[in-house]
Amino acid sequence: MRIVDAAVVVTSPGRNFVTLQLRTDAGLTGLGDATLNGRELAVAAYLSEHVVPLLIGTDAHAIEHTWQSLYRGAYWRRGPVTMAAIAAVDVALWDIKAQVAGLPLYQLLGGASRDRVATYGHASGRDLPELFDSIRARLAEGYPAVRVQTGVPGLQRVYAVAQPDADTVLPVVEDWDSAAYLRHLPGVFESVRNEFGPDLPLLHDVHHRLSPQQAARLGRDLEPYDLFWLEDVTPAEDQSALRLVRQHTTVPLAIGEVFNTVFDYQTLITERLIDFVRSPVTHFGGITAVKKLLDLAAVYGIRSGLHGPADISPVGMAAAVHLDLAVHNFGIQEFTGHPPAAAEVFRGGYTFRDGHLHPGEAPGLGVTLDLDAAAAYPYRRAYLPVNRLHDGSVHDW
Ligand code: EZ4
Ligand code: CO
């Protein structure tokens, strides 16, 4: 079975998504997600200009060989653009192979290890009353675990709390003060624990903003509140930073949503510096690569917590859910859903009920792409926010 055609579809039903659709001489199509938030067209061009010409005529069943050819054969390895493009090809080929087998994709990954996939949702508020309402809303939706993000006194616009202005094209500017945040956050978690009790799994995302010393202090200050995990405490490219954090706190650490190969985790996993790996299928070279990552992590007792924001498309999310159902060392899946219009473009892939996901039993990935609906939502340039300190200098976002 040969690949005969490939289309790169850029669409914006509420937000931008990049999708690769491969077609074979057997008339099958496979889908892969190539969405890189704020840099979407770079991946679209990488695919259409550089990857698609290499794929036409190749064996659609040779997933590992194609992966290695695109990774090693480019000479310029790694990076989010390259690895998102490889991920899209990889997932589309797994989709096709599972359709040929007549099986849902998770069956080709070893079959189901669990009945359903537990998720966590996002709660946030500028102050405690708003935050409590947000947590109650997630619990009412059935989420078994909640990520808690809060405003900080003295800061106007904080990650996950500030609402974006309508129709901004240039990046939203948020503000940041690590000292104010470090003083404020432990009290917020104390209040949340007092209000919601000891059983609710709570998570928090630091979004790469602290020095190792600050992160160590925060981890220690949060220990009484028994977090499920503390995410991205330091800038992620600095693997050795987590040695210092780990020496000072037992808080479970999660990292990796911006990583793109297993080498980004080499020190972290082999030295047992983290508890959860966060890489999504979409930015990490696909199912082939994330499965290998999770198998390495399993050797060290480290579990999965794959990135699942709205900028992972329904195609990328479906791939994650198949993997989550199959691997033994699953931890939790982030899930926020997508803008309503996305359901006009992407159909199927998984169901979400009582805070849990299931990929269903349709052969392949289970997602269909409506090209007419996609064309009705043209690409719109969009950026992630940037972060500024009080003196105007740039801080990690
Ligand atoms: O900032 O998906 O854990 N989730 C996150 C997300 C990321 C965005 C980046 O595109 O950190 O909110
Ligand atoms: Co995060």
Side-chain angles (χ1 to χ4, degrees):
M1 185 177 56
R2 303 272 150 192
I3 299 169
V4 292
D5 186 39
V8 180
V9 179
V10 183
T11 178
S12 192
R15 62 165 314 113
N16 290 319
F17 296 113
V18 180
T19 310
L20 177 69
Q21 184 177 57
L22 297 182
R23 199 159 53 79
T24 75
D25 54 8
L28 295 171
T29 58
L31 297 176
D33 177 24
T35 308
L36 184 62
N37 200 4
R39 295 292 186 270
E40 295 86 356
L41 297 188
V43 190
Y46 190 105
L47 281 167
S48 55
E49 294 295 324
H50 306 296
V51 172
V52 167
L54 301 174
L55 293 178
I56 304 302
T58 62
D59 178 2
H61 275 306
I63 299 177
E64 177 72 23
H65 179 68
T66 297
W67 195 99
Q68 298 294 345
S69 301
L70 294 175
Y71 180 78
R72 293 171 197 279
Y75 186 62
W76 310 109
R77 295 181 189 181
R78 313 168 68 209
V81 174
T82 297
M83 299 315 291
I86 295 177
V89 175
D90 182 79
V91 171
L93 293 179
W94 277 107
D95 186 9
I96 289 166
K97 190 185 286 290
Q99 290 175 54
V100 172
L103 293 169
L105 178 49
Y106 73 83
Q107 295 290 10
L108 274 55
L109 304 174
S113 286
R114 54 191 51 77
D115 299 332
R116 56 187 189 160
V117 170
T119 69
Y120 69 91
H122 289 186
S124 64
R126 282 166 295 184
D127 52 23
L128 283 179
E130 201 175 277
L131 175 59
F132 286 4
D133 285 350
S134 181
I135 295 172
R136 284 192 196 97
R138 296 296 86 74
L139 295 177
E141 288 160 4
Y143 279 102
V146 181
R147 189 189 82 160
V148 169
Q149 304 296 134
T150 174
V152 176
L155 299 184
Q156 301 307 309
R157 306 179 74 97
V158 175
Y159 165 75
V161 179
Q163 296 298 317
D165 299 327
D167 286 329
T168 50
V169 174
L170 291 175
V172 170
V173 178
E174 297 182 354
D175 53 349
W176 189 248
D177 178 341
S178 292
Y181 167 78
L182 288 170
R183 285 193 300 272
H184 184 63
L185 192 67
V188 170
F189 271 90
E190 181 181 22
S191 302
V192 170
R193 271 287 171 235
N194 287 340
E195 181 71 15
F196 294 94
D199 295 335
L200 176 62
L202 297 174
L203 302 83
H204 178 73
D205 191 347
V206 185
H207 230 256
H208 309 120
R209 287 161 188 214
L210 299 178
S211 72
Q213 179 273 337
Q214 292 168 330
R217 168 184 155 189
L218 182 66
R220 238 175 19 192
D221 287 352
L222 292 177
E223 279 173 22
Y225 313 116
D226 192 24
L227 267 61
F228 186 87
W229 80 39
L230 189 61
E231 174 177 339
D232 290 345
V233 287
T234 46
E237 63 270 34
D238 184 358
Q239 293 190 48
S240 65
L242 291 183
R243 285 199 193 108
L244 189 144
V245 181
R246 200 63 155 174
Q247 280 163 13
H248 292 282
T249 177
T250 59
V251 70
L253 297 171
I255 203 162
E257 67 181 51
V258 299
F259 288 172
N260 42 74
T261 74
V262 71
F263 296 101
D264 296 325
Y265 285 105
Q266 198 167 22
T267 302
L268 299 177
I269 290 177
T270 59
E271 296 189 20
R272 302 175 186 273
L273 302 182
I274 56 172
D275 300 280
F276 295 91
V277 295
R278 294 272 298 136
S279 296
V281 169
T282 301
H283 301 139
F284 201 82
I287 288 168
T288 296
V290 177
K291 178 70 165 69
K292 291 178 185 182
L293 167 68
L294 295 181
D295 288 344
L296 174 66
V299 174
Y300 295 88
I302 296 167
R303 293 188 288 158
S304 72
L306 305 194
H307 196 204
D311 47 281
I312 300 295
S313 88
V315 173
M317 184 56 64
V321 178
H322 283 279
L323 203 48
D324 292 336
L325 196 73
V327 296
H328 179 254
N329 57 328
F330 169 76
I332 199 164
Q333 172 65 54
E334 185 179 28
F335 183 67
T336 66
H338 295 97
E344 299 168 28
V345 176
F346 303 98
R347 304 226 173 77
Y350 46 82
T351 53
F352 180 64
R353 203 167 43 240
D354 300 329
H356 292 74
L357 292 158
H358 194 283
E361 301 301 330
L365 200 57
V367 187
T368 56
L369 172 67
D370 183 329
L371 290 172
D372 293 330
Y377 294 103
Y379 167 77
R380 299 175 60 191
R381 182 177 297 135
Y383 291 97
L384 283 162
V386 296
N387 222 1
R388 295 279 171 84
L389 302 180
H390 293 308
D391 69 357
S393 60
V394 174
H395 192 69
D396 306 74
W397 181 73

